[in-house]
Amino acid sequence: MSFKAVVLGAAGGIGQPLSLLLKNNPLVKELALYDIVNTPGVAADLSHISTPAKVVGYLPPDDGLKKALTGADIVVIPAGVPRKPGRCSDRRDDLFKINAGIVRDLATGIATSAPKAAVLVISNPVNSTVPIVVEVFKKHGVFDPKKIFGVTTLDVVRAQTFIAEVLGDLSLASSINVPVVGGHSGVTIVPLFSQSSHALPSNYASSDLQALTTRVQFGGDEVVKAKDGAGSATLSMAYAGAEFAEKVLRALKGEKGIVAPTFVHLSSDKSGGETIKKEVGKDIDYFSAPVELGPEGVTKILSLGKLTDSEKALVEAAVPELVVSIEKGVSFIAPSKL
Ligand code: NAD
Ligand code: LMR
């Protein structure tokens, strides 16, 4: 079994390396690249790689979006502007002004041309763009909460890497299982180090644990600063996006027991969703929680498990910002006719 994957925003900083990684995925038989610029070139380049996926590039003219999306099993969206200090913004939320409209229009395309595809949203601010996709799908009468995912995998990848650095062995990083929950921006990012498969040293100071938590929460800032005006994380995000896409594809194919944290609508598993609401102490509609994936998308939302007192405080601090960001996405679509 193999699949058609579509990348929307495929010519960008994330889109290009993500498309490369998907071209290299044996589960992908067809790869459609859509952007407002440059996709014919990116597709021609990738199409010379000796892996099975057939690559085609599409631009807006001649119904390019519709053609790219038709028959899609999985659609990954890294379209939109990134943070660029001094030029664009200092917070992911500042991207809303531009990215909300981009995501709305792409979601409309998916709702009409590939309503059954799994949709993986990378475009920031994820805590608002996922609700935008959901509201667009609702307006088109095609909303299936099991199929819409906010990609928070980069937070997990960072947590894995930073733990491995503390343990002094980077070769461990990819095998470290550490949940990161909540959302994808600043204090809404909650790493649960107490549940890591690889424990931090027993003499690890609580001030160091706090600093490690902050590093995961603000890892994006580290990259934005280092890139010094040239954008935000692209290569690590492409890696993370390809990792999560691979998990979704393996689950669509029928592989069991695949679990990953992702930002989902909590109605995607009613009972698991209710448990999360109790655990966070708020009747919230979305949360990034560990999710078991299956052929239908979300199979089960897993409990956050036993939290330490400091993790409980982090979850508590995440909720107010999450509520505001979710509402911002919902109310962006509510008045529109589409
Ligand atoms: P980029 O500017 O390099 O690329 C964005 C691409 O989107 C460009 O090629 C642009 O032409 C395209 N685009 C713009 N409008 C479009 C439209 N209407 N339809 C199709 N394509 C369109 O930016 P980037 O560095 O690749 O980042 C993309 C987004 O991903 C940003 O919003 C960024 O904040 C976000 N991001 C998210 C995470 C995460 O963890 N979820 C991590 C890193 C970056
Ligand atoms: C990240 O976490 O690196 C991304 O969300 C990009 C950003 O703006 O920080």
Side-chain angles (χ1 to χ4, degrees):
M1 200 183 211
S2 48
F3 300 97
K4 176 172 178 179
V6 182
V7 180
L8 305 180
I14 296 167
Q16 291 202 36
L18 174 61
S19 300
L20 169 64
L21 293 168
L22 292 173
K23 168 74 173 122
N24 206 31
N25 187 324
L27 291 173
V28 176
K29 72 160 191 300
E30 203 179 331
L31 182 59
L33 308 183
Y34 176 81
D35 201 302
I36 52 174
V37 290
N38 297 341
T39 40
V42 177
D45 191 354
L46 288 178
S47 72
H48 289 189
I49 294 175
S50 51
T51 56
K54 178 172 181 286
V55 190
V56 182
Y58 299 90
L59 293 168
D62 303 323
D63 265 343
L65 181 59
K66 184 175 177 188
K67 285 179 186 157
L69 287 168
T70 301
D73 299 293
I74 183 170
V75 181
V76 193
I77 316 180
V81 289
R83 287 195 290 161
K84 289 179 186 169
R87 268 190 57 201
C88 184
S89 62
D90 291 322
R91 300 180 319 126
R92 289 182 190 80
D93 191 51
D94 298 333
L95 306 173
F96 186 90
K97 284 190 280 303
I98 300 173
N99 290 352
I102 293 175
V103 171
R104 175 199 57 210
D105 295 347
L106 294 173
T108 302
I110 305 168
T112 49
S113 298
K116 296 207 174 307
V119 182
L120 279 56
V121 184
I122 292 174
S123 316
N124 270 320
V126 167
N127 299 348
S128 302
T129 51
V130 172
I132 287 174
V133 174
V134 165
E135 292 305 310
V136 169
F137 273 52
K138 281 185 190 167
K139 289 221 170 192
H140 284 271
V142 294
F143 173 48
D144 175 357
K146 294 183 177 298
K147 287 284 179 73
I148 299 175
F149 306 91
V151 183
T152 55
T153 318
L154 182 53
D155 306 315
V156 176
V157 167
R158 286 181 176 136
Q160 291 175 311
T161 306
F162 302 161
I163 291 174
E165 281 175 7
V166 172
L167 298 178
D169 185 357
L170 271 177
S171 71
L172 293 174
S174 66
S175 62
I176 295 175
N177 187 355
V178 54
V180 181
V181 302
H184 178 69
S185 99
V187 298
T188 73
I189 298 171
V190 179
L192 302 179
F193 288 119
S194 70
Q195 296 179 23
S196 171
S197 59
H198 294 62
L200 291 162
S202 53
N203 60 352
Y204 202 61
S206 74
S207 56
D208 289 338
L209 181 63
Q210 226 171 334
L212 198 65
T213 299
T214 305
R215 189 168 179 215
V216 173
Q217 292 185 315
F218 296 93
D221 295 14
E222 214 176 280
V223 181
V224 169
K225 280 188 194 118
K227 288 201 171 178
D228 195 19
S232 58
T234 53
L235 303 172
S236 51
M237 182 59 238
Y239 172 85
E243 283 273 300
F244 186 64
E246 153 108 12
K247 287 190 174 174
V248 171
L249 289 174
R250 278 167 41 208
L252 289 180
K253 189 164 172 263
E255 198 175 317
K256 300 242 180 310
I258 299 179
V259 173
T262 168
F263 188 73
V264 289
H265 196 279
L266 294 177
S267 68
S268 53
D269 164 27
K270 288 212 169 55
S271 139
E274 288 307 315
T275 302
I276 296 289
K277 290 179 193 184
K278 282 197 196 103
E279 287 174 330
V280 307
K282 181 87 187 167
D283 188 14
I284 201 167
D285 283 336
Y286 296 82
F287 204 76
S288 182
V291 164
E292 188 176 331
L293 301 165
E296 306 301 327
V298 174
T299 296
K300 208 169 169 194
I301 300 175
L302 305 180
S303 153
L304 300 183
K306 193 168 158 29
L307 307 186
T308 63
D309 286 346
S310 58
E311 289 166 350
K312 282 184 195 154
L314 291 172
V315 168
E316 207 173 305
V319 169
E321 185 177 320
L322 271 178
V323 168
V324 171
S325 304
I326 292 165
E327 176 49 30
K328 198 167 170 181
V330 171
S331 55
F332 180 71
I333 298 301
S336 27
K337 281 233 165 44
L338 297 185

